Amino acid sequence: MMNILNIEHVSKIFGEKVVFDDVSYGIHDGDKIGIIGINGTGKTTILKMIAGLEEPDEGQVITQNGLRITYLPQTPEFPEGATILNYVADGKINKDWSTDSEAKNVLNKLGIFNHEDEISKLSGGQKKRVALARTLVNPADVLILDEPTNHIDNEMAAWLEDYLIRFKGVVVMVTHDRYFLDRVTNKIMEISHGKLYAYDTNYSKFLEMKAQREEMELASQRKRQSILRMELEWAKRGCQARSTKQKARLDRLEDLKNSTGVVRDQNVELDSVETRMGKKTIELNHISKSYGDKKVVDDFEYIVLRNQRLGIIGPNGCGKSTLIKMIAGVLEPDQGEIELGDTIKIGYFAQEVPDMDDNRRVIDYIRDEAEYIPTRDGKISASQMLERFLFDSAMQYTPIAKLSGGEKRRLYLLKVLMSAPNVLLLDEPSNDLDIPTLTILEDYLDTFAGIVIAVSHDRYFLDNVVDRIFAFEGEGHLVQYEGGYTDYLEAFQRKNSGDAAVVSMQKEDEDKKKSSQKDWKQGRQEKLKFSYKEQREYETIDDDIAALEKKIESLDADMMANATNSLKLRQIMEEKEAAEQELEEKMDRWVYLNDLAERIEAEKSGS
């Protein structure tokens, strides 16, 4: 297939940093490419070079004649005084009678409804969505998108996914949304240490292929080191290097000594910083908040449990950030009150990075918070923590002005963690953080000894981190769902499926939950009991789990026996994945049923 765009032997240096070192890559029709790499590796730079907005120091980017390219920058800029509709409609090259209608439709899908407003009056997130709308109405051959999923909620993300899947041209994008990458892309371009690595697959398969590539590289390195040891032993025997053969061996030894080993991407390493938490945590007592006639939080009450992981979701502008700002003490509720326990120490990671003094050095910004912090393994200095956050010794003494947007956000996250909180409030934590940082942050939160409350539209992040979701449904009204985002979505769809029996059962369960929660808070108890279906399930679930575990064990043996039969192996692996998924669901259900049984027993004992 013929390439429509070629990156040929491109090199790019910023100051002393080599961003690209003689890289080449070909893009052809139908490519949906996701670009992955740690912040500061050059993801935005390569997008700009493909768009023709930045020149390489060496090499060239060659595009097919007449190729139409549209670029969405990470931080768009707008003409002074421009209105929303005019700006979006002007993005279309060949305007006609349908342009305004098309522009309005895309804007509505992205949650922008006041089409005649001036862009200057919009928030940063709204401006990004206006720029995205302008990009999408332009019938380009190549769409270049820098963080298109920032500032859009889950419903918009799903719409954009479908739009890009159906889009006939080429898509090249940088995004941290891993579910989005999985659904939209058919190629992954990884940037690592000045090189490009191409994978003809989506994100999930890329992770497997990258692990295989790194293992092969490590195997090659181990072989090289083995040869080096052998050659060193030979050299120690005192050869004189007189013959051509001996000279060749010494040259080879020198090459082996000078050659670089496998350069692997660093990962952000996080150690859980712990601060003791007492019995009283965070109590939200009938809080309400309005802006003008719009009620964003309406009579919400909740007691946060110790070590709980809560996710807050909902459409843009519904009140998610307002709620988390009230918990952080940045805003006051109009009615009700928020009580914090004496030992509660909040770390608030805001959606917007607070102003940083660009002239200040990176290490001084962190030292302002703390010189040392306590962890499980003893004290760690500010400098050591910066190293763990991929700020090497050279970067620590550079001015903040030299950092990329993503690097500034990573630095800000570190400052929040350096305050040693036991409650983390995260407002859109995945905005502008690269995927490697997000992955390690998720691992950190998994072991974090405290409460996590996250506002997020990142479905993957929510599935990995939270165990309960509050969804804004209706004006200011929050509805509770158990589990992560996928659990919420399934429950929400069941609730709204129109199936009367399902809706009735859901309502019964919801009423039961509300009733038990209200009783727990107010001390008025109603009798707890199993439903008939729950009683039957409780009696058989241990046997069901044992049977599934035995089945998985048997499938593992089948995999070993069929290791050389790729077709049979694939079938067994699919069956094993299904069994593991079923086991995970059964285990979650077991926890719920046993918890309910214990509460029923405790109620009987107390009565």
Side-chain angles (χ1 to χ4, degrees), residues 489-527:
L489 193 60
E490 288 172 359
F492 182 79
Q493 287 170 344
R494 282 199 306 271
K495 190 170 73 171
N496 293 279
S497 66
D499 184 324
V502 172
V503 171
S504 174
M505 285 174 65
Q506 278 262 309
K507 188 173 187 310
E508 186 183 331
D509 287 346
E510 193 69 30
D511 290 344
K512 206 178 286 182
K513 281 179 197 169
K514 283 179 182 174
S515 174
S516 64
Q517 191 178 56
K518 196 173 181 183
D519 294 341
W520 168 53
K521 290 174 183 173
Q522 297 182 1
R524 297 196 307 270
Q525 291 189 336
E526 291 180 7
K527 192 174 180 182

Side-chain angles (χ1 to χ4, degrees), residues 12-20 57 392 394-395 398 402:
K12 186 76 177 176
I13 298 173
F14 287 122
E16 296 177 3
K17 186 175 183 179
V18 178
V19 181
F20 296 109
D57 296 334
D392 61 26
M395 285 185 77
T398 59
K402 291 195 173 181

